[in-house]
Amino acid sequence: QQQVKQSPQSLIVQKGGIPIINCAYENTAFDYFPWYQQFPGKGPALLIAIRPDVSEKKEGRFTISFNKSAKQFSLHIMDSQPGDSATYFCAADIGLNSGYSTLTFGKGTMLLVSP
Amino acid sequence: EAGVTQFPSHSVIEKGQTVTLRCDPISGHDNLYWYRRVMGKEIKFLLHFVKESKQDESGMPNNRFLAERTGGTYSTLKVQPAELEDSGVYFCASSQDTTFRPDTQYFGPGTRLTVL
């Protein structure tokens, strides 16, 4: 079964809008939640990440909101630009205090920001 | 600094044939990961090398898949014989050191495999 559920599958917003991508997880052992951004022809690249001991993290125009009790987290893109058009993947990692990383990804959201 | 590179970028083979994918991690990165994304699905973990040793291969679909990392540098992923359901994009990622967590995984551009 899918351990990280991501929605929506695709999203179209106008320039300046605030797209929101949501993810939910079941496994309470997850302790690190990164978001990856992927442009066509490229591999996913780490965009921003959060640990479950904080409820929000902001880096530039990108913000993660985290709700530990609901086991949900979301990505907000403020003042979105056409250059933000990409596929976004949420992910969850287990064992922050252990030696090894294993990422579990959502299915991805294709974002199109129209000019 | 060069990023993670993968070869080939595309491969089209017929069912029953053999294909070998190659990944060159970022120089000095001990950790190397293989992932696969089937169209429309999530990116799924296949396995993890620490230097030349397999740390975790729990995601490998079956024994038609063989991964190696001789000398702890580049890695190969062989599929033999290929089946239709093996089609997808195979990503390789590397990270420097998991002593200080979290370690950032840097992904290659992927190899798109099509099995006809």
Side-chain angles (χ1 to χ4, degrees):
Chain A
Q1 73 279 17
Q2 192 182 349
Q3 293 198 54
V4 178
K5 294 185 178 180
Q6 182 173 348
S7 63
Q9 186 175 354
S10 62
L11 187 56
I12 301 175
V13 299
Q14 288 193 328
K15 178 182 174 182
I18 306 175
I20 300 173
I21 304 170
N22 300 297
C23 287
Y25 64 97
E26 289 297 324
N27 189 349
T28 55
F30 288 137
D31 56 10
Y32 179 63
F33 301 89
W35 285 87
Y36 282 79
Q37 179 188 55
Q38 184 186 18
F39 293 107
K42 305 287 187 181
L46 179 65
L47 180 65
I48 185 174
I50 196 169
R51 301 188 189 195
D53 53 347
V54 298
S55 60
E56 184 176 281
K57 183 172 182 180
K58 184 179 293 187
E59 287 185 4
R61 296 183 293 106
F62 299 91
T63 299
I64 302 177
S65 297
F66 188 86
N67 185 330
K68 187 174 182 178
S69 60
K71 292 185 285 186
Q72 295 175 347
F73 58 111
S74 60
L75 177 70
H76 302 232
I77 306 175
M78 309 301 289
D79 186 26
S80 59
Q81 302 295 312
D84 297 329
S85 298
T87 299
Y88 292 81
F89 294 93
C90 63
D93 197 354
I94 194 167
L96 194 65
N97 295 315
S98 72
Y100 304 104
S101 168
T102 302
L103 291 173
T104 300
F105 285 90
K107 287 189 176 182
T109 296
M110 291 182 62
L111 171 66
L112 176 64
V113 181
S114 60
Chain B
E1 178 183 281
V4 177
T5 57
Q6 293 187 243
F7 182 83
S9 57
H10 294 84
S11 181
V12 180
I13 61 172
E14 294 193 349
K15 176 183 172 181
Q17 289 186 320
T18 297
V19 63
T20 300
L21 313 181
R22 172 170 170 144
C23 168
D24 286 78
I26 293 172
S27 178
H29 281 195
D30 288 341
N31 296 280
L32 187 149
Y33 305 83
W34 283 99
Y35 294 87
R36 176 175 72 176
R37 188 186 189 205
V38 173
M39 188 184 299
K41 302 280 190 177
E42 68 271 24
I43 300 172
K44 271 195 166 181
F45 168 81
L46 296 179
L47 89 159
H48 169 207
F49 284 99
V50 177
K51 297 184 180 178
E52 66 273 12
S53 300
K54 292 176 185 175
Q55 173 62 32
D56 182 354
E57 53 184 329
S58 61
M60 294 288 263
N62 50 62
N63 59 11
R64 295 184 294 103
F65 289 74
L66 175 64
E68 295 181 325
R69 191 183 183 194
T70 307
T73 54
Y74 71 91
S75 174
T76 58
L77 180 65
K78 180 189 287 188
V79 185
Q80 178 182 31
E83 298 288 345
L84 299 178
E85 63 265 24
D86 301 332
S87 295
V89 180
Y90 289 77
F91 291 104
C92 174
S94 71
S95 69
Q96 185 171 16
D97 183 355
T98 56
T99 302
F100 301 100
R101 297 278 279 110
D103 59 320
T104 298
Q105 294 189 26
Y106 297 88
F107 281 74
T111 293
R112 181 175 297 277
L113 174 65
T114 302
V115 182
L116 302 175

